[in-house]
Amino acid sequence: MEGAERDVDALSLPRDFLYFLKNDWGIERLHPPQAEAITPVLEGRNTLIAIPTASGKSLLAYMAMVKRLSEGHERSKAIYIVPLKALAMEKYEELTEVGRAMGFDVGLGIGDATSEAKNIKECNILVCTSEKLDSLMRHNAELLADVCCVVADEFHLMNDGSRGPTLEINLTRLRHIKPDAQLVALSATVGNAEALATWLDATLIQSDWRPVALEYATFHDFHVEPRKLQSPGEGASVPPLGPPRHLEGLKSHPVWSVVSDGMDLGSQVLMFVGTRRSAQSEAKNLAKRVKKRLEKEQPERLRQLNEIAERLSGRSQSNLAEQLATCLAGGVGFHHAGLTHAQRKEVEAAFKSGLLVALTATPTLAAGVNLPARRVLVRDLKRWDDGMSRPLPVMEVRQMLGRAGRPKYDTRGEAWVYCKGTDGWEVADAVADRYFFGPVEDVSSKLASEPALRMHVLASVATGGLVHRGDIEHFFFSTFLGSTMPASQLRERLSSMLSWLVEERFLRKCGEDPHFSPRSKLPGGDEGEQAEAWDDTVPAWASSAVETAGVQWSADPAPIQSQRQSSAHGSPAFGFSTASSLGLRSAPVFASVEDGPGMRYEATAMGERVTQLYLDPLSASILRTGLRRAVRRLVRQDGPVSDFGLLHLAVATPDFASLWAKTADMEANSPTWLKANATEKELLVEPGYAEAMLSDIKSAWMVEEWTEETTLRQLEKDLDVLPGDVHHRVDLMGWLLSGAQHVILTDDVFAEEHMSIVSQLVQQVSTLQQRVRHGCKADLLQLVNIRHVGRQRARDLAALGLREPSDVLNMSARTRQNVLAMRGWGPLLLDNIEGEIERVLKRSANPRPNEMERMDDAPLVGERKDHH
């Protein structure tokens, strides 16, 4: 924007903040798109900022937050929403610096740690994921009372099927609860920015400006062809589009020429590949060649790399960690979700420091950590999705390529795409047309998917304060989905979902409210259109049939149970269900046409509990059905209720991310196949079709092996599961088993005489949950709950006969020497463990007054129980 104010000193912001920007962050002038956006941002208007990576979107958000907080009272709160935990940590660190300069308390909400609760309640700035914010609004809506500013980072990820619906609901709810709070959305370039800005009632700021020029080029047959230059403009000294050039390399390994050329120019290379396996194999191949060059050219750099690799090897617990250490020693790293959090942080730090020559990564990195490089190569433009190989979206590829060019270090970033095919020139032209010059896809709402609608419709009644059908519909018409989907179609989907929730006893109908007054106008249409949508002369099924005759409407339908196979070797199943099984995972039933906008709903005890637990209602339905079967088996003693059966029950829910059953798993007499046959009678829920059944069996088996203290290395070898995947699924299982306990305790179908059996089942699930959490057998649970004692150290102690905390305190001097002689043990560690045990035992022996039983609360003989 020509003539826009760009000097930071001239901004109407607190002097302390301006001083901090200039002296701590070295910011004195705004970039052009920042200057264009600063007026609506500081005036408190809703603003959608869609500009490239590294153009300064976050700074604008920080300015908005500081401005609003400085004008508010001491309890004022600003919320910064991010899609990923890794990004939350990055923003938390930056905002902590801001908070320190301004006297603001900064809180972090990314999980369920009890230590987060106090910070969240008392902080002025809260950095959190969408899921955490959704959970907070369900449990502590009063926390929003003082919100004055909300920032939605990576706003374009509303297009994501898993995270998008929650972000959309959060923003809709915040706009309803706090309509005066400023909303700042930070987005990559998207196709329908105007529609999104209209939905948010926001000023739209769009720009292609970048602080570093970006040169887009195709790479094929060792030929680099620059195609487009995205320049900072404003008379910046940027060379014109570079000439085509030819790289020297090996036909057997074309991308090595890209890395080798980068080494010649002193450029790090960030390479995006399609799969985890590709990331590992490419890094391994590159590391061998890079290491040879470093041995000759930069031996000191190689020595530093070896130090990182040795540090990683020292705490290695898996083959993957050893592969990573080997690659790092050769100057190349790989990055994907199969790594543990600590391993990913190690790789990121090595790349940011400049030690790594190259890094191979899956596309998830592009949406997460800020990890720029001078040169980015997108090696793979396709990935396996929904049973077939599909081209990557333009938006996603642009996000990857946008990582090229480091501000303050590079005058130009190099964004290359590898073009594969027999006719390299033709492929390169097509790639350039699509990914360099083609339009970016629109962001579309994913809220219409069945799982998302199930969760959020129930939550709107249980904790959102919406009890009338008219108000529920009004709220969902206010979402981005409501602004893009025909009103009659959205109303039909909501009706179906409400009926299913009533059928499953998560909601109950309370009858028509004669005093209810519908809103005079709903978002997304005029009064006439809304009135016409209430015409019930058209059957409910008709509008659905208009869209796709004979096909269920859901974009993401719940899986339908097939008949149970008597053996994994039985006849192929095609997903047909018996009539008796349809209630378990059926699609929503259609609503009664008599239900009008005044129909009142209220959540049942189960509905409230499920919402608080943040479970998909279908998951709760599956858990409830399986746990009822478990109670009946225990009462009648006519079937097993095993830990494996309970694990499989949790795995069968849509909230669990099942492992893929690979080709080897589906072969007759494979270990997974045999496990399926051996455990069939233990299952509490009907298995799905063959592939889904084996996926669930494999997943439950993996968690079972984890509780039996199988090492990460062995799990990787036997089940081909990487450490990061193990930890992710262990966390999910712990949460689902905790939810299972609440579900069976809230269920009200069993008679008083069977409550002891229910308690027995709850105890079994609770013990299993603890074993999953710590990855150990039941006999180690007392030890692993002691701080500094993990499952390996607990097993070390148990091997020496120390099975309880008191045994550790009372061990002989000889036993103590044996403990210290074991690998990984030392005097300081053992002293800390003993000190922690003493504190725990002392606390148990001397409970606080409110923990002691009052003698005058003990009932007299013959005193009847008081039933409230």
Side-chain angles (χ1 to χ4, degrees), residues 549-797:
V551 178
Q552 182 185 348
W553 55 255
S554 173
D556 187 12
I560 299 176
Q561 289 296 314
S562 65
Q563 288 182 307
R564 177 182 292 197
Q565 296 172 259
S566 60
S567 167
H569 305 278
S571 302
F574 294 96
F576 294 104
S577 301
T578 58
S580 61
S581 69
L582 288 176
L584 185 59
R585 290 192 183 182
S586 61
V589 296
F590 287 115
S592 167
V593 295
E594 287 81 17
D595 293 348
M599 175 61 70
R600 289 188 69 253
Y601 296 88
E602 69 177 17
T604 62
M606 182 66 75
E608 290 179 353
R609 178 61 69 190
V610 167
T611 297
Q612 291 164 356
L613 294 170
Y614 210 72
L615 286 172
D616 182 334
L618 181 57
S619 293
S621 177
I622 292 169
L623 290 173
R624 180 175 59 190
T625 299
L627 292 169
R628 286 177 178 176
R629 291 171 177 171
V631 171
R632 294 176 193 126
R633 288 186 186 187
L634 291 171
V635 170
R636 296 169 181 154
Q637 297 185 349
D638 60 356
V641 179
S642 65
D643 286 348
F644 181 85
L646 293 169
L647 293 173
H648 179 269
L649 175 62
V651 163
T653 65
D655 278 316
F656 191 86
S658 281
L659 300 167
W660 286 101
K662 300 183 178 178
T663 304
D665 296 315
M666 290 186 279
E667 292 177 358
N669 296 319
S670 71
T672 306
W673 192 274
L674 295 174
K675 180 72 173 178
N677 283 340
T679 57
E680 184 181 4
K681 292 184 179 179
E682 300 176 38
L683 305 187
L684 294 165
V685 63
E686 287 79 2
Y689 62 90
E691 186 174 351
M693 176 193 70
L694 291 172
S695 293
D696 288 352
I697 292 293
K698 182 178 181 179
S699 302
W701 190 14
M702 183 272 289
V703 181
E704 182 186 48
E705 288 297 310
W706 169 256
T707 65
E708 291 297 317
E709 302 175 29
T710 303
T711 64
L712 290 170
R713 186 185 303 276
Q714 199 64 39
L715 287 173
E716 190 177 353
K717 178 183 177 183
D718 294 344
L719 295 176
D720 194 20
V721 186
L722 300 179
D725 294 324
V726 173
H727 292 314
H728 175 56
R729 283 158 180 82
V730 162
D731 288 343
L732 285 176
M733 181 59 71
W735 165 56
L736 286 167
L737 289 176
S738 173
Q741 296 170 60
H742 288 281
V743 166
I744 191 61
L745 286 171
T746 308
D747 200 10
D748 57 3
V749 299
F750 293 110
E752 187 69 29
E753 62 188 281
H754 298 137
M755 293 311 294
S756 61
I757 299 296
V758 172
S759 298
Q760 175 187 330
L761 179 60
V762 169
Q763 183 58 52
Q764 182 179 349
V765 176
S766 177
T767 300
L768 180 58
Q769 180 200 358
Q770 290 297 311
R771 291 181 58 202
V772 168
R773 176 187 174 192
H774 296 290
C776 69
K777 299 176 183 177
D779 65 316
L780 293 188
L781 286 178
Q782 289 192 64
L783 284 176
V784 293
N785 276 300
I786 300 297
R787 193 180 174 192
H788 308 300
V789 180
R791 69 172 185 164
Q792 184 56 53
R793 288 173 182 158
R795 183 53 63 196
D796 289 344
L797 294 172

Side-chain angles (χ1 to χ4, degrees), residues 441-453:
E441 297 86 2
D442 289 350
V443 167
S444 62
S445 174
K446 301 300 187 289
L447 183 58
S449 70
E450 209 170 288
L453 215 53

Side-chain angles (χ1 to χ4, degrees), residues 218-224 245-251 254 257 417-428:
T218 52
F219 171 68
H220 65 92
D221 302 319
F222 300 100
H223 182 80
V224 180
R245 62 195 184 97
H246 189 81
L247 305 184
E248 297 297 327
L250 303 168
K251 288 186 177 181
S257 65
V417 176
Y418 181 33
C419 305
K420 306 170 188 176
T422 52
D423 188 342
W425 289 102
E426 184 177 341
V427 173

Side-chain angles (χ1 to χ4, degrees), residues 476-488:
F476 280 92
F477 278 123
S478 301
T479 63
F480 186 58
L481 175 67
S483 72
T484 56
M485 176 180 283
S488 58

Side-chain angles (χ1 to χ4, degrees), residues 109-132:
I110 57 176
D112 300 318
T114 52
S115 57
E116 286 185 354
K118 183 179 179 182
N119 291 334
I120 288 172
K121 185 176 181 179
E122 299 178 355
C123 68
N124 302 110
I125 299 174
L126 172 62
V127 182
C128 63
T129 59
S130 289
E131 292 75 17
K132 183 63 177 182

